[in-house]
Amino acid sequence: MVEMRDARSRDAWRPGDAWLGGGTYLFSEPQPHIRRLIDLSRMGWEPVRVTEDGDLEIAATCTIAQLSRFAEGRDWPAAPLFERCCRAFLASWKIWNVATVGGNLCNGLPAGPMISLTAALDGVCRLQAQSGSFREVPVADFVVGAGIKVLRPGELLRSITVPARALSRRTAFRQASLYGLGRSGALLIGSRDPHDDELALTVTASTVRPIRLRFPLRPNAGAVHEAVAYGIRADEYYDDIHGLPAWRRHMTFRFAEEIRRELLDEEDGR
C-alpha cells in the first residue's frame, strides 16, 4: 500500500484500490496487490439504528462494540443472538472497537460471525456502485465461497438491513472450535418464526458459504437430518487447520438436531 485517500473525495476507482473500514484484516498480513486504501471512517454514517418500520439498519462501518452495545437490553426475542455472535470473534476489546460489521462480511470467511448473524436474521446487503446506483443482495447470497463475494469492482457495501420480523424470532446458537480460543469450526443458528411457526437453520463456519435450510412444517429428527444431508454437498464443507470436513459435517448434524430440540420439542414439553 502506497497511498491513503478519503472516501469523501470520490476519486475514480482504479485497480489496486480497496475500501478501508476498521483495517483489522487489511493490516494483519501483507497485501501486495493493494496500492491504495479508500478510508471510510469519515463518511459519518450512523452506526446502527431502528427505522420507522422497525427494521434494524447496520452501517458497514459499525464496529462490533457499537453493535453489541446497541443490542444490549433490547426487548427483541432475537436480541441475545447479537451478543453471542459478537463474542464468537474471541477477540480483545481493542479489536471489538475497531473491527467493523461490513469488514467481516466483505472478508467472506466461513468463520465470520457477522455473516452468521445477519444471514440467520434474513439480512439484506445494500451495495453501492461507483455510479452511485444501489442494489440489494441477501446476506445468504452475498458470500458464495470461502473469501468469495458477489461484489463487483469498486462496489461498496453500504449497510445491512435486518427486517423487524426477524428480530421477533426465538433463536438458538451452537458453536464449536478445536481449541478453547480457536476460530469457529462450526456455527449454526436456528430461528423460529412466531407468525407462521417456520423453523430456519443457518449453517456457517463448517461450510464455505452460508447455507439456509427452512422448514415450513415442524420437522422431526429425520427431516432435519435429511435436509442437512441433501442440502449441503460434500465439497461445501470447509477444510483448513481449524477442522477437517468430516468433523465439521459431524458437528453440523449434531448441532442441527440440538437446535431442533431446543426450539421445538423442549418448548412443547417433549
Side-chain angles (χ1 to χ4, degrees):
M1 193 272 289
V2 297
E3 186 179 355
M4 178 88 76
R5 302 291 291 178
D6 191 324
R8 297 174 299 176
S9 65
R10 302 299 298 174
D11 288 353
W13 185 270
R14 62 196 190 200
D17 284 354
W19 299 109
L20 173 63
T24 53
Y25 168 73
L26 286 175
F27 296 134
S28 68
E29 59 184 51
Q31 308 286 347
H33 61 289
I34 296 177
R35 306 299 296 170
R36 187 172 68 160
L37 293 177
I38 313 299
D39 185 13
L40 298 168
S41 64
R42 298 182 181 180
M43 294 300 288
W45 298 333
E46 186 175 359
V48 56
R49 70 185 185 95
V50 176
T51 69
E52 293 181 358
D53 296 328
D55 299 338
L56 184 68
E57 185 180 273
I58 308 168
T61 50
C62 175
T63 66
I64 307 308
Q66 288 171 328
L67 181 62
S68 175
R69 287 195 297 267
F70 189 88
E72 186 178 358
R74 298 277 168 173
D75 59 359
W76 312 316
L81 184 62
F82 286 79
E83 184 70 9
R84 298 295 299 272
C85 288
C86 288
R87 293 290 174 188
F89 271 99
L90 298 175
S92 70
W93 64 269
K94 295 180 180 179
I95 298 297
W96 265 46
N97 283 278
V98 177
T100 63
V101 176
N104 194 246
L105 266 71
C106 289
N107 279 344
L109 299 178
M114 294 297 99
I115 299 172
S116 309
L117 170 67
T118 52
L121 295 179
D122 290 336
V124 176
C125 298
R126 183 170 173 81
L127 308 178
Q128 183 175 358
Q130 285 294 293
S131 64
S133 63
F134 289 92
R135 67 182 178 115
E136 295 186 341
V137 177
V139 173
D141 298 327
F142 178 72
V143 178
V144 295
I148 306 172
K149 294 80 59 181
V150 298
L151 283 169
R152 298 164 182 166
E155 200 168 34
L156 169 69
L157 172 59
R158 171 62 182 84
S159 61
I160 307 95
T161 299
V162 174
R165 179 166 176 166
L167 298 171
S168 69
R169 296 177 187 161
R170 180 168 169 250
T171 62
F173 175 97
R174 294 293 188 281
Q175 177 195 23
S177 172
L178 290 177
Y179 314 100
L181 296 176
R183 180 178 294 180
S184 297
L187 198 162
L188 274 68
I189 296 172
S191 67
R192 185 175 178 183
D193 194 314
H195 303 285
D196 58 14
D197 210 32
E198 180 187 68
L199 178 70
L201 187 65
T202 303
V203 181
T204 55
S206 58
T207 51
V208 297
R209 63 180 179 87
I211 293 178
R212 296 272 281 157
L213 304 172
R214 294 181 181 275
F215 304 88
L217 302 177
R218 295 190 180 196
N220 58 21
V224 169
H225 187 279
E226 183 176 294
V228 173
Y230 290 100
I232 306 175
R233 301 192 312 269
D235 62 354
E236 289 183 305
Y237 284 100
Y238 196 43
D239 184 6
D240 71 353
I241 62 173
H242 299 286
L244 294 174
W247 174 74
R248 294 176 191 266
R249 185 174 186 271
H250 169 76
M251 296 307 298
T252 298
F253 278 108
R254 173 180 168 179
F255 286 163
E257 173 56 17
E258 287 183 5
I259 287 172
R260 185 197 69 83
R261 290 201 304 265
E262 179 176 335
L263 293 180
L264 296 182
D265 288 358
E266 291 181 7
E267 183 175 296
D268 297 338
R270 286 182 284 177

